[in-house]
Amino acid sequence: MIAELMAESRAWTSSQLTDAGVERKALARAVEAGIVVQFARGIYCPPMIPDGMGYAAISLVNPGGVVCMQSAAVIHGLSDENPQVIWYATDRNKTRETPTSPNREPMRLMFWSRRSDDRWR
């Protein structure tokens, strides 16, 4: 079952995998066997992480943010220079964590204040 889910080539949260019927012990065995890669705490990806998977995984760790700066320029085809880190902006009050897994792409968090967030509504 886990291999079938990972064939979808997307990032999954542990709760999404649990809701799909994957038991935590089975998930731990799949990580140990290399069928699944733990991208960050609670975020799992297929072993061959496709381009752009880091963007999806980071948005699962810190929902409500946006890819920004050089990373956004690459996504929108405005630059062909791939940044060394993923730039991600989020509300400081809603940030859960910065992923620390060795399997993740380096990330640089940017923060906006509540005041500047309200201007765009």
Side-chain angles (χ1 to χ4, degrees):
M1 170 183 270
I2 295 174
E4 293 167 357
L5 294 171
M6 291 300 133
E8 292 183 25
S9 294
R10 58 171 273 207
W12 296 83
T13 63
S14 55
S15 61
Q16 288 172 329
L17 291 170
T18 302
D19 291 346
V22 177
E23 295 180 10
R24 293 189 187 273
K25 287 184 180 183
L27 181 57
R29 285 192 301 269
V31 169
E32 197 172 291
I35 298 169
V36 177
V37 171
Q38 185 173 10
F39 183 86
R41 191 174 129 237
I43 307 296
Y44 298 89
C45 300
M48 299 302 281
I49 299 173
D51 290 341
M53 180 71 72
Y55 299 119
I58 288 168
S59 68
L60 288 173
V61 174
N62 292 300
V66 294
V67 174
C68 65
M69 309 289 283
Q70 294 99 334
S71 299
V74 170
I75 288 173
H76 293 289
L78 301 173
S79 173
D80 59 356
E81 186 175 331
N82 209 8
Q84 293 181 348
V85 298
I86 294 176
W87 291 83
Y88 193 78
T90 187
D91 182 349
R92 182 179 306 278
N93 298 325
K94 294 181 183 177
T95 301
R96 293 191 322 194
E97 68 177 75
T98 301
T100 56
S101 168
N103 299 310
R104 68 161 176 86
E105 298 175 47
M107 180 177 74
R108 175 77 190 263
L109 279 178
M110 306 291 291
F111 300 100
W112 63 73
S113 67
R114 187 68 170 146
R115 187 172 159 207
S116 64
D117 186 31
D118 288 339
R119 283 189 292 193
W120 302 106
R121 290 180 189 206

